[in-house]
Amino acid sequence: MKAIWNNTVIAESDDTVVIENNHYFPEESIKKEFFKPSETHTTCPWKGVASYYSIEVDGKQNTDAAWYYPETSELAKPIKGKVAFWKGVTIEA
């Protein structure tokens, strides 16, 4: 699977986990040069507290377009430390 934004592959892996129709990519599969930590946090009742990254490619920024769970509930262990996307990031096989 590939995560693409602004015509650039920002993550690529054959080992994603799909939860609630979102592909969660292993952290080591993201191209870290495009990811900037965000101060944003949200809480999911069953997964835990999410942290976010903003994505920057060729001078364009997509604020809080990627999220991950540094710590998860027991039910969400398969996505601990994995990164998912939204806000116009496309996922392709």
Side-chain angles (χ1 to χ4, degrees):
M1 302 303 296
K2 294 179 183 177
I4 301 167
W5 187 71
N6 198 21
N7 299 312
T8 302
V9 175
I10 57 172
E12 188 169 4
S13 177
D14 293 329
D15 185 29
T16 63
V17 175
V18 179
I19 298 210
E20 296 178 333
N21 295 319
N22 293 303
H23 281 269
Y24 285 80
F25 287 71
E27 187 173 2
E28 61 273 8
S29 73
I30 69 171
K31 297 183 180 182
K32 294 194 187 306
E33 65 268 24
F34 301 123
F35 292 75
K36 310 289 182 232
S38 168
E39 295 297 316
T40 302
H41 298 281
T42 58
T43 301
C44 171
W46 74 272
K47 288 181 263 181
V49 177
S51 295
Y52 288 79
Y53 290 115
S54 293
I55 299 168
E56 193 172 303
V57 175
D58 292 334
K60 292 187 179 178
Q61 186 164 334
N62 192 345
T63 304
D64 296 340
W67 74 92
Y68 64 99
Y69 293 89
E71 298 297 327
T72 61
S73 68
E74 203 56 42
L75 290 171
K77 287 289 182 208
I79 60 168
K80 182 177 186 215
K82 292 187 176 2
V83 180
F85 303 95
W86 65 329
K87 292 190 172 184
V89 176
T90 57
I91 308 299
E92 298 178 3

